[in-house]
Amino acid sequence: MFDFQINAHCSHTRARVGCFRTPHGSVNTPRFMPVGTLATVKGITATQLADTGAQMVLANTYHLHLQPGEGIVADAGGLHRFMGWDRPLLTDSGGFQIFSLADLNRIDDHGVVFRNPRNGSQIELTPERAIEIQMALGADVAMAFDQCPPYPASESDVEAACKRTHAWLERCSNTHQLTNQALFGIVQGGCFPHLREQSAQIVASFDLPGIAIGGVSVGEPVEDIHRIVRQVSPLLPQDRPRYLMGIGTLREIAIAVASGIDLFDCVLPTRLGRHGTALVAGERWNLRNARFREDHTPLDQSCTCTACRHHSRAYLHHLIRNEELLGLTLLSLHNLTQLIRFTSAISQAIQDDCFSEDFAPWQPDSAAHHTW
Amino acid sequence: MFDFQINAHCSHTRARVGCFRTPHGSVNTPRFMPVGTLATVKGITATQLADTGAQMVLANTYHLHLQPGEGIVADAGGLHRFMGWDRPLLTDSGGFQIFSLADLNRIDDHGVVFRNPRNGSQIELTPERAIEIQMALGADVAMAFDQCPPYPASESDVEAACKRTHAWLERCSNTHQLTNQALFGIVQGGCFPHLREQSAQIVASFDLPGIAIGGVSVGEPVEDIHRIVRQVSPLLPQDRPRYLMGIGTLREIAIAVASGIDLFDCVLPTRLGRHGTALVAGERWNLRNARFREDHTPLDQSCTCTACRHHSRAYLHHLIRNEELLGLTLLSLHNLTQLIRFTSAISQAIQDDCFSEDFAPWQPDSAAHHTW
């Protein structure tokens, strides 16, 4: 039911164009995946989401376990039915969220105990439990339960987290029993090259249908992200989709694709949208700014999203200034469309042999301008 | 450019089925009109709005004058272009909002001076100015600038407000110069039948393309609304659209249609939606209620809106419980669809001679059940 086909290679980078088949449809890579933490991409209907070009959408195990609980989602017929999205879905395991958001009570080799922020009760999550929850949610892709160390962390702490992540991956893999759901492993290792290398080798040895690079964008300098991605990506199996978790900035996406990464997710486009910021031609525009007050041109002439086709910068400025819900929805739609379009343009550029790490196809003098 | 045709009469009430032609298309009456105060129906795109069955949409002169200002809307090419809605639009004059929302400084026969809530400056609005602003906004229908007395108010206060409203109507009428915009007059008179009668006669004498009943739903008992509508509506010209301002409850709409009213507006459906309440089969359901937690059936099996076609009560409950923006959007869409559908069903029932004041077509034993 799962299959990853590589249809084109870049002649001068490790970039590739692929197609990841899932039970709910194909995901053309490279591709950005919108985040729908609580089984909803904030403020956006499923129809609008499809219009952004989204193919695979994320949801989160930690959040959905707390509310509404995987039992209710399973009773609804699974996450696709529950959220009204019949295309590919991926659930993050909750590891990252527990270590970054939760009030932790205990971490040991067995698992994690944390406080339910909604009612104060103690919740235990183990690799087995995280996989059981994800099997109940029923996304097309489940992620292994990992320990994501904070930044900065000592070498010994990161080494311990790696060791635990690898032991947990084995338990995740043993627990995961579905044929219509793929389990992806997650490489950790912080900013330590030898730990990253070791983690990549161990995770790769599980022969899973896909592998993610986790533990990036946790506060480290952006150069470290570049370095980690450039080092780790080539160590992963060529013939499986590679997913760089939590990255949604243009430069980092382009560098990662050039290193052979296929999938990306990030809350950035929707979070920026909810704060009145639009991604336009490689820049971030604060629509609250008075310079847009009387600007009756489209936000981005080259964009086909609802905000750009039907509205002006002046109207978006008006909505954002007045804290109108529609402003948040329109900017979120635009930003998602923009990032997905960026990855689609990369795909075209790879096929046309004009992709590069400094990919910026909106620039008129870009060799890849025709892909925008 | 304007024309009101009556296509069917009810055999046993004053209800009628009509078609009001405007430069941006026809409005089939009876019909509920969604409110887009600040040139946006909160949380809803123009495409979604059209899907609710909306034909004419309201915006507000008071709010748009404050922000972004009619100059910017005019520069955008008018309100239709500014908000991306190319169907009929109506602007309320701002009279009601100034008297209910603003910090008033002076009211006299000349006009009103109030404090700009955004920057504290003094703003003067006169009948001439209110019409000039509405001409700049460029909706299909402009409303006369009226004085809406509060409830309760003494007979002499209401009489004075009526007198002023009539004098202002003359000035509005003299100022209004557009052929592609209709000016509607507004009947006042509070809860005093003789003042209502007098106001209806005076406003009718202006021979305008439409007349509204204002000053209702300002705090008076619902029986007073029924009484006023039953008294005033028959006094208005048969061959012009009649608009009952600010009413959006099912029973009041049905009673008003039975008295010959054609148009309605109200913030209720979107406001209820933003508070997690859905209009279903004549009831108001609080989706926050735990009884919906595991209810995987559609909100309203008979409804064709996005919320009902693609989602379950359990999902809507989940969204509302988690204060997800999408929940507000979906419930607003549902509630608008429901009210517009109610007025469409009335229209069908009038034609099929099964309309009545207690119209409730969702009831299986209703003679008009087929219209739902």
Side-chain angles (χ1 to χ4, degrees), chain A residues 124-138:
Chain A
E124 180 173 54
L125 218 54
T126 61
E128 290 79 9
R129 194 81 196 85
I131 294 300
E132 283 162 9
I133 295 170
Q134 290 185 84
M135 289 195 292
L137 293 172

Side-chain angles (χ1 to χ4, degrees), chain A residues 167-307:
Chain A
W168 285 359
L169 176 55
E170 174 130 37
R171 288 160 59 190
C172 287
S173 177
N174 290 337
T175 306
H176 190 259
Q177 304 290 351
L178 298 177
T179 54
N180 63 348
Q181 181 180 68
L183 175 66
F184 280 21
I186 303 177
V187 173
Q188 289 289 348
C191 291
F192 301 97
H194 65 289
L195 296 179
R196 283 285 179 184
E197 181 179 351
Q198 192 180 52
S199 185
Q201 285 165 348
I202 293 175
V203 175
S205 73
F206 280 84
D207 194 27
L208 294 165
I211 296 187
I213 301 177
V216 290
S217 198
V218 292
E220 75 280 22
V222 74
E223 291 73 22
D224 279 336
I225 300 179
H226 302 169
R227 191 177 47 73
I228 294 166
V229 170
R230 287 184 174 124
Q231 181 211 347
V232 175
S233 183
L235 303 176
L236 305 179
Q238 274 285 341
D239 60 348
R240 308 292 155 85
R242 299 160 177 161
Y243 162 28
L244 180 59
M245 303 184 81
I247 295 292
T249 47
L250 301 176
R251 178 155 164 70
E252 282 58 54
I253 288 177
I255 288 175
V257 169
S259 306
I261 299 288
D262 307 295
L263 295 167
F264 302 88
D265 81 282
C266 194
V267 295
L268 195 69
T270 40
R271 183 170 290 166
L272 287 177
R274 291 200 307 283
H275 288 87
T277 299
L279 302 171
V280 181
E283 298 179 352
R284 293 186 189 179
W285 292 1
N286 180 351
L287 264 295
R288 198 173 280 278
N289 195 299
R291 73 179 163 118
F292 298 115
R293 217 174 106 81
E294 306 188 32
D295 185 342
H296 299 293
T297 61
L299 182 56
D300 179 345
Q301 186 78 57
S302 71
C303 179
T304 60
C305 82
T306 301

Side-chain angles (χ1 to χ4, degrees), chain B residues 192-239:
Chain B
F192 301 97
H194 66 289
L195 296 179
R196 283 285 179 185
E197 181 179 352
Q198 192 180 52
S199 185
Q201 286 165 348
I202 293 174
V203 175
S205 73
F206 280 83
D207 193 27
L208 294 165
I211 296 187
I213 301 177
V216 290
S217 198
V218 292
E220 75 281 22
V222 74
E223 292 73 22
D224 279 336
I225 301 179
H226 302 168
R227 191 176 48 71
I228 294 166
V229 170
R230 287 184 173 124
Q231 181 211 348
V232 174
S233 183
L235 303 176
L236 305 179
Q238 274 284 342
D239 60 347

Side-chain angles (χ1 to χ4, degrees), chain A residues 37-48 63-64 67-69 71-73 75-77 81-85 118 274 293-294 296 306 310-312 314-315 317-319 321-322 324-326 328-330 333, chain B residues 37-48 63-64 67-69 71-73 75-77 81-85 118 274 293-294 296 306 310-312 314-315 317-319 321-322 324-326 328-330 333:
Chain A
T37 306
L38 266 167
T40 162
V41 178
K42 295 193 186 306
I44 291 176
T45 67
T47 307
Q48 290 172 326
H63 291 91
L64 290 174
Q67 181 96 342
I72 284 177
V73 175
D75 282 348
R81 290 280 290 278
F82 184 63
M83 65 187 281
W85 178 254
R118 291 169 187 268
R274 291 200 307 283
R293 217 174 106 81
E294 306 188 32
H296 299 293
T306 301
H310 297 305
H311 300 294
S312 65
Y315 183 64
H317 168 82
H318 165 70
L319 295 178
R321 272 287 175 113
N322 288 282
E324 281 286 352
L325 291 179
L326 182 58
L328 318 181
T329 296
L330 289 176
L333 283 174
Chain B
T37 306
L38 266 168
T40 162
V41 178
K42 295 193 187 304
I44 290 176
T45 67
T47 307
Q48 290 172 326
H63 291 91
L64 290 174
Q67 180 97 343
I72 284 177
V73 175
D75 282 348
R81 290 280 290 278
F82 184 63
M83 65 187 282
W85 178 254
R118 291 169 187 269
R274 290 200 307 283
R293 218 174 105 80
E294 306 188 32
H296 299 293
T306 300
H310 297 305
H311 300 295
S312 65
Y315 183 64
H317 168 82
H318 165 70
L319 295 178
R321 272 287 175 114
N322 288 283
E324 281 286 351
L325 291 178
L326 183 59
L328 318 180
T329 296
L330 289 175
L333 283 174

Side-chain angles (χ1 to χ4, degrees), chain A residues 88-157:
Chain A
L89 283 173
L90 178 151
T91 42
D92 196 358
S93 65
F96 177 78
Q97 286 69 30
I98 289 168
F99 290 105
S100 61
L101 301 176
D103 183 1
L104 291 177
N105 206 296
R106 198 194 74 211
I107 316 176
D108 59 22
D109 289 342
H110 182 63
V112 182
V113 176
F114 61 95
R115 209 176 139 273
N116 183 335
R118 291 169 187 268
N119 61 18
S121 67
Q122 296 294 315
I123 298 184
E124 180 173 54
L125 218 54
T126 61
E128 290 79 9
R129 194 81 196 85
I131 294 300
E132 283 162 9
I133 295 170
Q134 290 185 84
M135 289 195 292
L137 293 172
D140 299 273
V141 176
M143 298 302 297
F145 189 64
D146 59 336
Q147 179 173 353
C148 179
Y151 179 87
S154 70
E155 187 176 334
S156 61
D157 282 354

Side-chain angles (χ1 to χ4, degrees), chain B residues 12 15 19 47 61 82 88 90 104 123 152 167 201 255 279 299 307 311 360:
Chain B
H12 50 286
C19 181
T47 307
T61 301
F82 184 63
L90 178 152
L104 290 177
I123 298 184
Q201 286 165 348
I255 288 175
L279 301 170
L299 182 57
H311 300 295

